[in-house]
C-alpha cells in the first residue's frame, strides 16, 4: 500500500528518557513533516524537510531533533522527555498543491 | 501571517440534516485550502482541496466546499448527515505555495439520532 507509515504506534516512557519515532513514505513526495497534536486536538507543525533539507523549524525545544536520511524517511528523536511532551505525533508528506498526507500517529505518554 | 479560523469547536446536527462547518482564512495571496477529517484514534484524512479553477470542490463521503474569495471563506457542507460522519474536522491553508500548511483548531461534529 502507498502510504505514510510511522512506528511505534504507542510509546509509554518515563520522564528523562530518550526516544525515537520513525517515519517512512512511499508516495514519492519531496516534503515531509512532523506535527504535534495536543490533548485539545490542536495540530501544530514542528518541522518540515524538503529533499532531506530542513525547511521549517518552528519554536520547538532543541530536545527535539529530526533526521532525514533520505527523502522517504524522517525520524524524530526526543531527548530528556518531559511530561508536557505527551501528545500524538504525526508524520506527514506532501507535494506542492496536493495537500498533506498523514501517518497514523504515535501516541507518546510520558510518566 | 497566514491563519485559519474555524467557527464553533462543536457542532451538532441530526441524522439526515444539513452539515455546515465554517472556515475563514486570512491571506494576501490566493491560498490553497483543505479540509481534513479525523476519526477517533486515527490520523487525518484529506476530504477535499481547492488549489485553482472551479470554486466548488467535491470530496469524499459526499462532502463539498466552496471557496469564496470575497468572504475569505471555505465552508464545508454535506446535504444529509450520517452517523458515520461524527468526527473531528480540520480546515487548513497554504498561502505561499511553500511547505507550511496551517491548520485550524478543529470542529467536532456530533450526529444526533
Amino acid at each position: 500500500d502507498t502510504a505514510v507509515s510511522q512506528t511505534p504506534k504507542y510509546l509509554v516512557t518515563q520522564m528523562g528518557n530518550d526516544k525515537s519515532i520513525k517515519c517512512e513514505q512511499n508516495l514519492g513526495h519531496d516534503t515531509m513533516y512532523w506535527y504535534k497534536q495536543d490533548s485539545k486536538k490542536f495540530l501544530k507543525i514542528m518541522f518540515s524537510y524538503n529533499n532531506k533539507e530542513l525547511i521549517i523549524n518552528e519554536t520547538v525545544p532543541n530536545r527535539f531533533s529530526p533526521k532525514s536520511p533520505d527523502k522517504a524517511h524522517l525520524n524524530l528523536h526526543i531527548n530528556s522527555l518531559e511530561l508536557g511532551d505527551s501528545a500524538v505525533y504525526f508524520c506527514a508528506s506532501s507535494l506542492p498543491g496536493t495537500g498533506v498526507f498523514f501517518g497514523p500517529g504515535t501516541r507518546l505518554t510520558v510518566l | 501571517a497566514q491563519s485559519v479560523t474555524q467557527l464553533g469547536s462543536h457542532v451538532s446536527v441530526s441524522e439526515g440534516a444539513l452539515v455546515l462547518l465554517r472556515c475563514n482564512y486570512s491571506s494576501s495571496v490566493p491560498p490553497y485550502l483543505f479540509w481534513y477529517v479525523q476519526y477517533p484514534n486515527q490520523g487525518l484524512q484529506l476530504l477535499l482541496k481547492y488549489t485553482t479553477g472551479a470554486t466548488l470542490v467535491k470530496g469524499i463521503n459526499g462532502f463539498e466546499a466552496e471557496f469564496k474569495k470575497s468572504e475569505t471563506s471555505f465552508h464545508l457542507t454535506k446535504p444529509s448527515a450520517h452517523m458515520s460522519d461524527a468526527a473531528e474536522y480540520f480546515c487548513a491553508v497554504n498561502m505561499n505555495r511553500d511547505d507550511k500548511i496551517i491548520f485550524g483548531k478543529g470542529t467536532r461534529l456530533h450526529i444526533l439520532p
Side-chain angles (χ1 to χ4, degrees), chain A residues 20-68:
Chain A
S20 292
I21 307 172
K22 296 189 174 183
C23 177
E24 176 181 5
Q25 56 96 4
N26 60 7
L27 297 164
H29 290 168
D30 293 327
T31 305
M32 295 187 72
Y33 311 80
W34 279 107
Y35 280 86
K36 179 181 179 180
Q37 188 175 43
D38 62 23
S39 58
K40 295 184 178 178
K41 300 294 186 183
F42 184 54
L43 264 171
K44 185 169 186 220
I45 189 169
M46 300 173 69
F47 302 102
S48 166
Y49 270 72
N50 185 284
N51 273 320
K52 303 193 297 175
E53 181 183 348
L54 180 65
I55 302 297
I56 295 171
N57 183 350
E58 293 294 304
T59 308
V60 176
N62 57 16
R63 299 181 294 104
F64 290 80
S65 53
K67 283 191 171 50
S68 182

Side-chain angles (χ1 to χ4, degrees), chain A residues 67-88:
Chain A
K67 283 191 171 50
S68 182
D70 56 60
K71 80 170 197 177
H73 295 83
L74 181 62
N75 303 321
L76 183 65
H77 188 76
I78 316 170
N79 289 325
S80 302
L81 278 156
E82 300 178 357
L83 292 176
D85 297 333
S86 295
V88 181

Side-chain angles (χ1 to χ4, degrees), chain B residues 14-90:
Chain B
S14 297
E15 191 174 17
L18 171 72
V19 175
L20 171 61
L21 303 182
R22 300 177 186 273
C23 173
N24 289 87
Y25 65 91
S26 62
S27 171
S28 56
V29 298
Y32 289 167
L33 294 157
F34 310 88
W35 274 100
Y36 287 82
V37 60
Q38 184 179 28
Y39 298 102
N41 299 313
Q42 293 188 28
L44 281 79
Q45 181 182 6
L46 182 65
L47 269 180
L48 50 78
K49 64 181 179 184
Y50 168 78
T51 53
T52 58
T55 56
L56 180 63
V57 292
K58 295 185 186 298
I60 61 173
N61 302 338
F63 284 93
E64 60 183 38
E66 186 171 11
F67 169 57
K68 291 188 177 180
K69 184 179 177 181
S70 60
E71 299 177 8
T72 60
S73 69
F74 190 57
H75 301 332
L76 181 71
T77 60
K78 181 174 180 177
S80 177
H82 192 274
M83 295 300 290
S84 61
D85 294 328
E88 192 90 22
Y89 291 80
F90 292 91

